[in-house]
Amino acid sequence: MKLKRIALLTMTAFLSLPAVSQERKAPAYPLITHDTYFSIWSATDEINKSTTTHWSGSNLSLLAHAKVDGKIYRLLGKNELKYKTLVPAADETPYQVNYLEKSPSTNWASLNFDDSSWKKGDAPFGHNAGKPKTKWASNDLWIRRNFDFKGNGNEKLYLKLFHDDNIEVYLNGEQIYKHSGWTSGFEYILLSETAKSKLRKGKNLMAIHVANTAGGQYLDAGIVKEIEDKKESLIVDAKQQSVQLKATQTIYDLKCGAVNIQMAFTSPLLLNDLDLLSRPISYISFLAKSMDGKSHDVQISFGASTDIAANNSMQEVKAEKYTSGQIAILKAGTTEQTLLTRKDNDSRIDWGYLYLATPLDQNSSQFIADSFGISNKKSNASTGKQLFLNTTLNMGKVSTQTKAQYVMLGYDDLYSVQYFGENLKPWWKNTTDDTIEKQLNKASKDYTSIIKKCTTFDNEMYNKAQQIGGVSYAKLCELAYRQSISAHKLVKSPQGDILFLSKENFSGSFINTVDVTYPSAPLFLEYNPELMKGMLNGIFYYSESGKWSKPYPAHDLGSYPLANGQTYGEDMPVEEAGNMMIITAAIAKAEGNAEYARKHWKTLTTWAEYLNKYGFDPTNQLCTDDFAGHMARNANLSVKAIVGLGCYAMLANMLKENEVAKTYNTIAKKMALDWMKIADNGDHYVLAFGKQGTWSQKYNLVWDKLLALNIFPKEVAQKEIKYYLTKQNAYGLPLDSRKSYTKSDWILWTATLADQKSDFDKLIQPVYKFTLETNPRVPLTDWHETETGKKAGFQARSVVGGYFIKFLDKNLK
């Protein structure tokens, strides 16, 4: 297709969206969102005010500049600080220290202290975190490290620290840094002039005390200096006019002198097209137009850091340049290629390859360099650390007619997950001869039609959400859409079943967690129940293969990306049995038949029997809100069991198992009446049976309404909603009476119980307020403080797919 035609159609697709004035739209903005690894975000309202990052916070730098009539404007990202190592940490160079795990004498940090009796060990030190060389599993660690210093006092020096937990750092006997808490990776702490004055030429001593307070232990440290970037003074920030955050697109309008440039990030996550959904390719589109009626020379430079293909910036990568079909390609990946080995929570992919591609018929050039925008490599291949893949788009003369060009960013992970010992390729590789180059060519060929589909979907989704829940609700759904989907990976099992496997981001790293599937279900039930089955199939297989023999479902299938069996240390029997039963019933309701349930009827029956026996008055155990700790006699968990039994009765009725349906419907309804008696606390129902004066959100009740089970009388939900409206804080309804924190997904479920639209609005408006005011600026958290709006924990999790629960209120009944 000719570029002029592409420009016209692309302009129509993007510019048909209404211009919106600059204001905060999200805690963080999704840019590239495909799976838990290929995930890049901006944490500032203006796209050129911060370095782009992975959802975990690690820098994954994307940069773009516009050169307009010779003047350079920053469009995207911020250059990362560059450092030169003076005293290496162990991620670069092995080093040995003297250490002790019991309290030393008071002058232990002095330069002349005799540490000859201390043990010797190789850094890093740790347990249950990172990759330690020396095991440290006690409460405290003291280390002494001698080093030679060859820097000078005029440089910007930083401590390079990775510690878990509390730390004190001494330099030649003087404390220079103290911090309570832990880091999830290396952080760089600028040394004050006073701290730098402690350094001397030649022999120096760094002494550190680190104390474990909870969880894992870890320590690694070094000293680096900042490398000044003299080019920064030549660059002017483009003035951002607006940002639009849609379901599949984030679109920025920026003013570069007399030229307006629209920059759009499109991850085409359309749930009804599994081949497109699984294709790991995003578009970055640039549309330029003169605003003063004159003609201007415009050139766009776009770059992607090879850190996107590495777990950390110290890993060596190899990059190359080539063409395939109708596209020019830059490719990069680590030389090590440690396939499917990283399974901790704070990790990024370091196997497979990153691709930056552009159509050959665009007037562009590509090169590999050790920084953005400078071509200092003449070969088509390069090896090093923190390289940049660079593409320059030459738009030529731009006047009042919009010109458009684009690049594609893709990732081939080779193998996505390991499933009970077998490595599985991504869904898009189902055809044996398919390659990422073929996918890139197809993505380029279909660019215009895909952008149009995404724009149409974005508008339709927003309009529907606004119609059923209002403007704030529609914006919450836009925030949740890409985040929820991109916490999953789509593959096919060896048995031929669809698997849509989640990573429990930022809260354990488990794969296919059932009580993460449960809250995220509404989005996928609404748009494609096949994906919902893909979230259940692995759990059913685990039980039905005999690999899991307990009479209730497993909590998870392992630690992402290894789905070889549950790794969570504790079961959630009632929680997971209820979850699986309810979601299976919801699939049947969405599809209008129970054939999926028929395939697993024996297993469902086993779980129903367990719920019947143990679900009504649960023993001391965890539920999905496990961060709140164990609880016996949990009234909301009891609701889940009762509704789960009602779902089993519904499924039996659909399968013409009439006696079973009658029996279990009777059981569920009797349990509901008994529940009302023992949970009653006057104007509301208790948090736990026997705990008068307590309360909790009974969000599990929503499925009784959505599936039209009619197990609980309507007065239960009505009484609860009335009570909840008296308990709200500035940023939402607390989860229960124990703490002021909440789960926003559960608030949306609870709000959907309301019969009155005004009550629904009152419950969700504080949640939307939270998204606009919360700090820190990270991908949407589902666990926050209702009094302050601060993040309590979690981020970038798939559970925000639960925001789509209001869609089901209309569609399932």
Side-chain angles (χ1 to χ4, degrees):
M1 183 178 288
K2 297 295 184 182
L3 286 179
K4 186 175 180 180
R5 174 69 171 161
I6 291 177
L8 179 61
L9 292 177
T10 305
M11 178 180 67
T12 302
F14 286 130
L15 298 186
S16 62
L17 296 168
V20 182
S21 60
Q22 177 60 47
E23 60 183 12
R24 179 166 171 172
K25 302 291 177 61
Y29 295 81
L31 304 178
I32 308 294
T33 48
H34 288 278
D35 58 44
T36 186
Y37 293 127
F38 194 30
S39 178
I40 306 175
W41 299 69
S42 173
T44 47
D45 297 309
E46 295 180 73
I47 187 67
N48 53 13
K49 297 299 185 185
S50 63
T51 304
T52 56
T53 68
H54 185 252
W55 62 258
S56 64
S58 293
N59 289 340
L60 299 182
S61 187
L62 300 177
L63 292 167
H65 292 166
K67 191 174 183 180
V68 179
D69 298 331
K71 189 172 183 177
I72 301 174
Y73 296 86
R74 180 183 289 107
L75 297 176
L76 161 66
K78 203 83 168 176
N79 281 339
E80 299 179 56
L81 291 178
K82 295 285 187 179
Y83 305 103
K84 180 178 179 180
T85 298
L86 300 178
V87 181
D91 66 328
E92 295 181 76
T93 306
Y95 65 90
Q96 190 177 76
V97 301
N98 292 342
Y99 74 96
L100 204 63
E101 293 180 83
K102 60 181 180 180
S103 183
S105 59
T106 55
N107 63 339
W108 68 276
S110 67
L111 187 61
N112 298 320
F113 178 78
D114 181 7
D115 59 13
S116 59
S117 63
W118 289 30
K119 293 181 285 186
K120 294 186 182 298
D122 294 326
F125 289 75
H127 179 63
N128 290 334
K131 289 187 176 181
K133 289 285 184 67
T134 302
K135 186 176 180 179
W136 163 47
S138 60
N139 290 330
D140 291 270
L141 177 72
W142 289 261
I143 72 163
R144 287 170 53 86
R145 178 186 182 185
N146 293 300
F147 64 92
D148 287 332
F149 181 69
K150 298 179 180 179
N152 65 69
N154 297 323
E155 300 165 318
K156 283 188 176 181
L157 302 182
Y158 296 79
L159 277 175
K160 178 183 176 181
L161 288 179
F162 185 171
H163 62 91
D164 188 352
D165 295 292
N166 303 343
I167 193 169
E168 303 168 79
V169 182
Y170 298 81
L171 191 56
N172 294 327
E174 298 289 334
Q175 187 178 101
I176 62 169
Y177 182 69
K178 183 177 181 179
H179 179 75
S180 295
W182 54 274
T183 67
S184 59
F186 282 105
E187 292 189 353
Y188 295 82
I189 296 94
L190 181 65
L191 292 182
S192 66
E193 293 300 318
T194 301
K196 288 194 298 182
S197 70
K198 307 304 177 186
L199 286 164
R200 60 188 71 178
K201 293 288 185 180
K203 183 180 179 182
N204 290 264
L205 173 79
M206 183 189 299
I208 299 176
H209 170 220
V210 60
N212 177 51
T213 59
Q217 292 106 309
Y218 201 79
L219 178 64
D220 193 9
I223 298 175
V224 299
K225 73 173 183 178
E226 182 180 333
I227 301 173
E228 184 181 359
D229 187 351
K230 296 180 180 179
K231 304 185 300 297
E232 279 295 295
S233 61
L234 304 176
I235 302 169
V236 177
D237 284 347
K239 185 176 181 181
Q240 186 171 307
Q241 304 295 300
S242 67
V243 57
Q244 301 173 64
L245 195 157
K246 301 295 180 180
T248 67
Q249 302 174 88
T250 305
I251 304 170
Y252 297 87
D253 274 292
L254 301 118
K255 183 179 180 183
C256 302
V259 173
N260 187 80
I261 293 179
Q262 188 176 84
M263 181 170 55
F265 298 83
T266 306
S267 295
L269 305 183
L270 301 179
L271 294 175
N272 63 348
D273 185 339
L274 297 186
D275 291 334
L276 181 59
L277 174 68
S278 68
R279 180 191 293 163
I281 297 170
S282 280
Y283 303 103
I284 303 96
S285 307
F286 300 92
L287 286 75
K289 181 179 181 180
S290 172
M291 304 306 291
D292 64 357
K294 300 177 182 179
S295 181
H296 301 274
D297 288 312
V298 177
Q299 184 182 79
I300 305 291
S301 295
F302 177 86
S305 170
T306 58
D307 283 353
I308 298 169
N311 180 54
N312 64 70
S313 60
M314 290 297 103
Q315 289 179 282
E316 184 181 71
V317 295
K318 181 179 180 181
E320 59 180 304
K321 172 184 173 181
Y322 62 104
T323 61
S324 175
Q326 299 304 307
I327 56 173
I329 298 173
L330 297 175
K331 170 185 177 182
T334 61
T335 56
E336 189 178 10
Q337 289 295 306
T338 54
L339 182 67
L340 297 173
T341 58
R342 298 196 179 275
K343 58 180 181 178
D344 54 310
N345 196 40
D346 183 32
S347 64
R348 287 143 298 281
I349 196 166
D350 57 1
W351 67 90
Y353 297 92
L354 170 69
Y355 294 80
L356 176 57
T358 186
L360 287 172
D361 61 359
Q362 289 189 162
N363 185 20
S364 62
S365 60
Q366 291 190 303
F367 57 91
I368 301 156
D370 55 12
S371 60
F372 170 60
I374 298 177
S375 179
N376 55 7
K377 305 283 185 180
K378 293 185 178 180
S379 68
N380 287 337
S382 180
T383 301
K385 298 175 183 178
Q386 289 188 289
L387 302 178
F388 251 86
L389 308 182
N390 294 285
T391 296
T392 301
L393 305 174
N394 295 299
M395 290 189 162
K397 295 289 185 181
V398 172
S399 60
T400 55
Q401 183 176 356
T402 299
K403 283 192 174 183
Q405 293 192 22
Y406 66 94
V407 297
M408 297 175 290
L409 204 64
Y411 204 98
D412 180 2
D413 57 8
L414 306 179
Y415 288 91
S416 300
V417 299
Q418 186 177 98
Y419 183 73
F420 295 103
E422 184 168 341
N423 293 345
L424 302 184
K425 295 178 181 179
W427 181 273
W428 64 267
K429 284 189 174 181
N430 282 337
T431 304
T432 56
D433 64 345
D434 212 344
T435 65
I436 191 67
E437 288 83 4
K438 289 182 179 179
Q439 290 289 325
L440 285 164
N441 273 280
K442 184 171 177 55
S444 181
K445 179 182 177 182
D446 296 342
Y447 168 73
T448 302
S449 63
I450 289 173
I451 294 295
K452 185 176 180 180
K453 286 179 183 178
C454 288
T455 301
T456 299
F457 173 81
D458 292 348
N459 292 335
E460 288 177 349
M461 193 213 79
Y462 179 87
N463 291 336
K464 184 175 182 180
Q466 182 181 11
Q467 182 181 8
I468 65 176
V471 171
S472 294
Y473 178 68
K475 291 180 178 180
L476 285 170
C477 289
E478 287 181 317
L479 283 174
Y481 186 83
R482 270 177 282 172
Q483 175 171 312
S484 183
I485 297 168
S486 62
H488 296 81
K489 193 69 178 184
L490 184 62
V491 296
K492 182 177 286 188
S493 78
Q495 295 76 34
D497 293 322
I498 183 175
L499 296 174
F500 194 49
L501 303 175
S502 64
K503 179 178 180 180
E504 193 176 328
N505 288 344
F506 213 85
S507 59
S509 79
F510 305 108
I511 187 169
N512 206 183
T513 305
V514 176
D515 58 283
V516 167
T517 292
Y518 177 65
S520 66
L523 170 60
F524 306 101
L525 286 166
E526 170 67 18
Y527 286 107
N528 193 341
E530 286 301 312
L531 289 169
M532 195 73 257
K533 295 174 188 176
M535 298 162 76
L536 305 190
N537 284 337
I539 299 297
F540 276 123
Y541 172 78
Y542 196 14
S543 285
E544 293 164 356
S545 66
K547 301 177 191 296
W548 177 264
S549 59
K550 298 177 182 179
Y552 47 81
H555 167 270
D556 60 77
L557 291 184
S559 294
Y560 198 98
L562 305 180
N564 295 324
Q566 179 173 312
T567 54
Y568 192 57
E570 191 170 347
D571 299 338
M572 297 186 189
V574 174
E575 174 71 41
E576 312 304 18
N579 290 341
M580 291 294 289
M581 196 71 68
I582 291 169
I583 299 172
T584 303
I587 290 171
K589 194 78 169 181
E591 294 189 324
N593 66 77
E595 292 309 304
Y596 183 68
R598 188 190 302 277
K599 288 175 57 179
H600 305 291
W601 192 242
K602 182 178 179 181
T603 304
L604 290 167
T605 299
T606 298
W607 296 342
E609 291 169 349
Y610 184 88
L611 290 175
N612 185 26
K613 189 173 182 179
Y614 299 106
F616 175 73
D617 194 352
T619 57
N620 189 35
Q621 60 186 270
L622 294 175
C623 70
T624 187
D625 305 317
D626 54 357
F627 54 85
H630 293 74
M631 184 193 301
R633 316 196 74 192
N634 184 331
N636 187 44
L637 189 57
S638 177
V639 168
K640 178 171 289 184
I642 296 167
V643 172
L645 291 171
C647 287
Y648 182 72
M650 184 198 94
L651 291 168
N653 184 63
M654 294 178 75
L655 293 173
K656 308 302 182 185
E657 299 280 351
N658 297 331
E659 287 302 314
V660 173
K662 181 178 179 181
T663 298
Y664 274 87
N665 190 58
T666 300
I667 290 171
K669 287 188 172 180
K670 182 181 184 305
M671 282 186 177
L673 293 175
D674 291 342
W675 184 95
M676 291 172 64
K677 293 176 184 177
I678 64 174
D680 188 58
N681 198 176
D683 59 353
H684 69 282
Y685 296 96
V686 295
L687 164 67
F689 299 148
K691 298 288 186 181
Q692 298 302 106
T694 65
W695 65 274
S696 65
Q697 291 188 48
K698 307 302 188 299
Y699 53 81
N700 288 314
L701 267 175
V702 73
W703 293 103
D704 191 30
K705 178 183 181 183
L706 299 182
L707 301 176
L709 301 174
N710 300 314
I711 301 298
F712 284 85
K714 287 187 176 181
E715 66 190 68
V716 175
Q718 292 170 352
K719 182 159 74 170
E720 286 287 279
I721 291 294
K722 184 178 180 181
Y723 186 78
Y724 297 152
L725 292 173
T726 71
K727 293 296 181 180
Q728 290 209 103
N729 291 322
Y731 296 100
L733 176 68
L735 181 65
D736 57 50
S737 53
R738 290 174 292 179
K739 300 282 186 179
S740 61
Y741 57 57
T742 195
K743 291 280 272 80
S744 58
D745 47 346
W746 297 149
I747 291 180
L748 270 291
W749 288 33
T750 295
T752 303
L753 282 170
D755 289 331
Q756 300 298 319
K757 175 65 165 53
S758 59
D759 290 341
F760 176 84
D761 292 340
K762 289 174 185 176
L763 287 164
I764 70 158
Q765 196 59 42
V767 177
Y768 183 59
K769 173 182 169 70
F770 152 76
T771 68
L772 298 181
E773 299 179 9
T774 184
N775 277 302
R777 303 296 298 272
V778 297
L780 188 60
T781 177
D782 53 287
W783 179 22
H784 72 268
E785 294 288 345
T786 60
E787 293 176 340
T788 65
K790 299 291 185 183
K791 183 184 85 161
F794 308 158
Q795 63 195 50
R797 301 207 311 163
S798 64
V799 300
V800 294
Y803 288 9
F804 285 78
I805 193 82
K806 188 67 174 173
F807 279 66
L808 303 184
D809 190 27
K810 179 178 181 181
N811 296 342
L812 281 189
K813 289 187 293 186

